[in-house]
Amino acid sequence: MAALYITEDDVRSLMDMEKSILITHKVFKELAAGRAKNEPRQRVKAPGIMLHTMSAASEYLGYVGWKAYTTTKDAAQFHVAIYDQQTGEMQALIEGDFLGQLRTGAASGVATEYMARPDSKVVGLFGTGLQARTQLQAICLTRKIEFVSVYSRNFENCSRFAEEMTELCDVEVTASHSPDETAAEKDIVICATSSKAPLFDGRVLDEGTHLNVIGSNHRTRREIDRTTIKRADVIVCDDIEQCKIEAGDFMQPVDEGITDWRLMHNLCEIVAERETGRATDDQVTLFKSVGLAVEDVAMGVKVYELALEEGLGVDLPF
């Protein structure tokens, strides 16, 4: 049987955030049980381009796979491939841009379920890009959100994003002029930017705030300051080993002794209830996501199965 090529349009027609959260929750359960393995991202650079590769094995699904993407100053191209665990044959090659947006949002949705206060209603969001969009969608599916304040450097873009997300998420979203006001008096704060410097002063955070910090997966980028890290009573990573390689938010603070990798927990430990994501309502909790191939592979398997059911995709000549 030929491998199936599945386009971005196909993925958009087959997957949504609700499905993605269920898939991603299962991923972290299986990671905790040892029935899934993740290989951290590797990067190679040539003039004008960088290639990023990452891989995973999902024993519980019967597949292994990889995600590879290129970034240039103009664009990024994403692909996910899955292989049958028994035969080694490629089953699908999937365009992976929207898939990546969904899985990153879904991971924050899972973390929010275990770490944010159940009564969380007010959100501060940094960023107005595609990742910010799916982050907010996931949180609105996980908690009964009533109000969102969003900040970006371009107020016109921010206002347009707020209007669009008000309709998409059926919640009041307004554009903010101030980073510190966006983070202050919020139940949940989301950082989904490409910033190289902290976005706000950690002193403005309320007790009980939960943060989802997902924008940086490079050692030179930081969205949160030392104060935020100092104030965090619980720090959870999607994968500590991968964060050691590329979580710029933590690298310098760890070197300075502000925090320690040994004090952090993997999300799979929280989902498996080996550790607690939140012990009291007044704790500040922090989830750091850099994005895992094991999420991409699980999402890819589901897309492949749905594509077969719906008759979508094009057979490849191998």
Side-chain angles (χ1 to χ4, degrees), residues 22 26 145 147 157 188 210 221 257 272 274 278 281 288:
L22 293 173
K26 179 70 170 172
I145 302 304
F147 177 77
N157 288 346
I188 298 171
H210 170 65
R221 294 179 180 174
R274 296 173 189 165
R278 170 176 293 274
D281 283 349
K288 174 60 188 172

Side-chain angles (χ1 to χ4, degrees), residues 35-41 52-68 79-86 88-94 99 292-301 304:
R35 290 189 292 268
K37 294 180 176 64
N38 185 75
E39 187 67 22
R41 187 178 357 248
H52 317 249
T53 56
M54 47 210 292
S55 59
S58 298
E59 178 186 334
Y60 71 104
L61 293 172
Y63 289 88
V64 299
W66 49 258
K67 177 179 181 177
H79 288 89
V80 172
I82 58 169
Y83 300 79
D84 185 276
Q85 184 174 302
Q86 298 301 318
E89 294 180 350
M90 181 186 284
Q91 300 298 296
L93 181 61
I94 305 162
L99 200 71
L292 309 182
V294 69
E295 301 163 343
D296 294 296
V297 170
M299 294 277 287
V301 170
Y304 171 60

Side-chain angles (χ1 to χ4, degrees), residues 183-194:
E185 300 181 338
K186 301 298 185 298
D187 302 315
I188 298 171
V189 172
I190 303 166
C191 300
T193 76
S194 59

Side-chain angles (χ1 to χ4, degrees), residues 258-278:
I258 292 170
T259 187
D260 193 294
W261 298 112
R262 293 170 295 181
L263 301 175
M264 303 180 193
H265 306 295
N266 284 315
L267 182 57
C268 67
E269 297 172 314
I270 306 299
V271 172
E273 299 183 349
R274 296 173 189 165
E275 301 289 348
T276 301
R278 170 176 293 274

Side-chain angles (χ1 to χ4, degrees), residues 1 4 6 63 82 91-92 300-308:
M1 184 176 177
L4 201 62
I6 302 171
Y63 289 88
I82 58 169
Q91 300 298 296
V301 170
K302 186 62 174 180
V303 166
Y304 171 60
E305 292 172 347
L306 292 172
L308 290 178

Side-chain angles (χ1 to χ4, degrees), residues 139-155:
I139 272 55
C140 288
L141 284 172
T142 308
R143 290 291 185 265
K144 294 181 179 179
I145 302 304
E146 296 179 356
F147 177 77
V148 180
S149 175
V150 58
Y151 175 84
S152 74
R153 288 173 295 180
N154 187 314
F155 189 75

Side-chain angles (χ1 to χ4, degrees), residues 183-186 200-211 224-235 258-259 278 282-286:
E185 300 181 338
K186 301 298 185 298
F200 58 88
D201 186 335
R203 291 175 296 182
V204 305
L205 293 170
D206 271 10
E207 290 186 349
T209 298
H210 170 65
L211 298 100
I224 52 176
D225 62 8
R226 293 171 180 81
T227 302
T228 298
I229 293 171
K230 285 180 181 177
R231 293 194 60 195
D233 299 288
V234 180
I235 299 178
I258 292 170
T259 187
R278 170 176 293 274
D282 62 351
Q283 285 187 320
V284 173
T285 58
L286 168 60

